[in-house]
Amino acid sequence: MVIMARGDFVCDWSPMHEASVHGRLLSLKKLISQGSGVNLLTADRVSPLHEACLGGHPACADVLLKHGAQVNGVTVDWRTPLYNACVSGSVDCLNLLLQHGASPQAVCDLASPIHQAAKRGHVACVESLTSHGVDIDHDIKHLGTPLYVACENQQIACAKKLLESGASANRGRGLDSPLHLAVTNSNADLVHLLIDFGADTQSKNREGKRPVELVPPRSSLTELFSQLEGPLSLLQLCRLCIRKCFGIKQHHRITELLLPEELKRFLVHI
């Protein structure tokens, strides 16, 4: 039985949901032409648009949006269509939603799009969200920052994109920094990356330990940290200082500087 709730139709799983999640564009168009509502909701408040984005079907999402689908609809577990696009890694769905007014910010800490994209290694989604003004250092108590989540799941490409976009190399989860985590996981590539972007090698975690004190026995990181005793090189300090001057939202302008290409690549860390 279909009932009314908060101005939307509430139903069980419908043919609209089925067509959307599987990308059946012709079936979806036919259902809409026959009068099926684009904002049909399940008992969990899942809309066809949620399902189109979860399935990674931008053509279906486009049709739904053009017929009035609610772009910022929220399920009972706080998932938006944008969050689902980050789950599937569909940057086409993501960009389409943003064009139609979707908010890049999390509506609840239980379902943050940028954290989900970072966790799953969807670099293009991370890049699109950062370019649309998402809070790149959004610190969620049980998750930490997007960078911390990327490091926790060893998504190096996402970690690099976040750092290039201005994420703080030192903000993690509470007192545990991304560097503490990378060292614990013996991920040398992440350790190098974080240090290059200014991670504090002397910071102490919640147990009062510096990253070097977490290096596993017989790890190659032991030699790396022995080489890092003392201040950063002047070259590295200059890069960090220049990047800081640009601020989080202006890093893309580094490539517009009237400088040799090699120097610009150095500043943006390519």
Side-chain angles (χ1 to χ4, degrees):
M1 180 177 70
V2 177
I3 60 176
M4 292 292 291
R6 299 183 187 178
D8 297 316
F9 286 101
V10 177
C11 65
D12 292 325
W13 186 260
S14 72
M16 285 285 288
H17 291 82
E18 184 76 13
S20 298
V21 76
H22 293 295
R24 296 170 183 159
L25 183 60
L26 293 179
S27 297
L28 184 63
K29 288 181 176 180
K30 183 176 180 181
L31 287 166
I32 293 174
S33 68
Q34 292 174 345
S36 294
V38 295
N39 287 311
L40 283 170
L41 300 177
T42 68
D44 291 333
R45 301 194 66 79
V46 176
S47 70
L49 182 59
H50 280 98
E51 294 304 289
C53 294
L54 186 61
H57 303 298
C60 287
D62 186 44
V63 168
L64 291 165
L65 287 165
K66 286 178 177 177
H67 284 84
Q70 294 182 5
V71 71
N72 287 311
V74 181
T75 67
V76 293
D77 53 359
W78 301 101
R79 297 189 175 196
T80 61
L82 191 76
Y83 177 92
N84 280 1
C86 288
V87 171
S88 67
S90 175
V91 71
D92 290 332
C93 282
L94 183 71
N95 288 333
L96 184 65
L97 293 166
L98 290 168
Q99 290 166 15
H100 281 80
S103 171
Q105 311 295 348
V107 295
C108 174
D109 283 351
L110 296 177
S112 166
I114 185 70
H115 285 79
Q116 192 62 216
K119 173 184 176 180
R120 295 174 179 268
H122 298 317
V123 180
C125 290
V126 168
E127 184 174 16
S128 184
L129 288 169
T130 56
S131 68
H132 281 82
V134 73
D135 182 358
I136 201 170
D137 285 325
H138 183 193
D139 190 351
I140 295 176
K141 186 175 182 179
H142 67 287
L143 294 176
T145 62
L147 177 60
Y148 189 87
V149 170
C151 292
E152 186 174 32
N153 291 275
Q154 304 199 52
Q155 301 290 357
I156 299 176
C158 273
K160 187 172 187 291
K161 179 55 64 178
L162 287 164
L163 288 164
E164 288 174 346
S165 300
S168 169
N170 293 306
R171 294 187 63 180
R173 185 172 66 190
L175 294 177
D176 293 329
S177 72
L179 185 58
H180 284 103
L181 188 61
V183 170
T184 302
N185 292 332
S186 293
N187 192 318
D189 290 335
L190 265 178
V191 170
H192 279 284
L193 180 67
L194 290 164
I195 291 174
D196 280 349
F197 276 90
D200 184 0
T201 59
Q202 302 302 312
S203 66
K204 294 182 179 181
N205 65 7
R206 54 186 171 180
E207 297 173 348
K209 293 184 177 181
R210 295 174 298 140
V212 67
E213 298 174 81
L214 300 176
V215 175
R218 297 181 295 279
S219 171
S220 61
L221 293 176
T222 303
E223 182 180 353
L224 169 63
F225 276 94
S226 67
Q227 297 171 353
L228 290 173
E229 290 299 325
L232 294 174
S233 69
L234 180 59
L235 190 67
Q236 178 66 353
L237 287 171
C238 287
R239 171 162 61 186
L240 294 173
C241 183
I242 293 172
R243 288 179 60 84
K244 184 177 180 180
C245 288
F246 273 85
I248 291 178
K249 296 182 179 180
Q250 299 295 323
H251 279 172
H252 65 280
R253 297 189 62 190
I254 292 176
T255 57
E256 301 172 8
L257 295 174
L258 298 177
L259 295 172
E261 287 301 318
E262 185 176 356
L263 183 53
K264 287 192 286 186
R265 287 195 297 270
F266 170 75
L267 290 175
V268 297
H269 202 276
I270 295 178

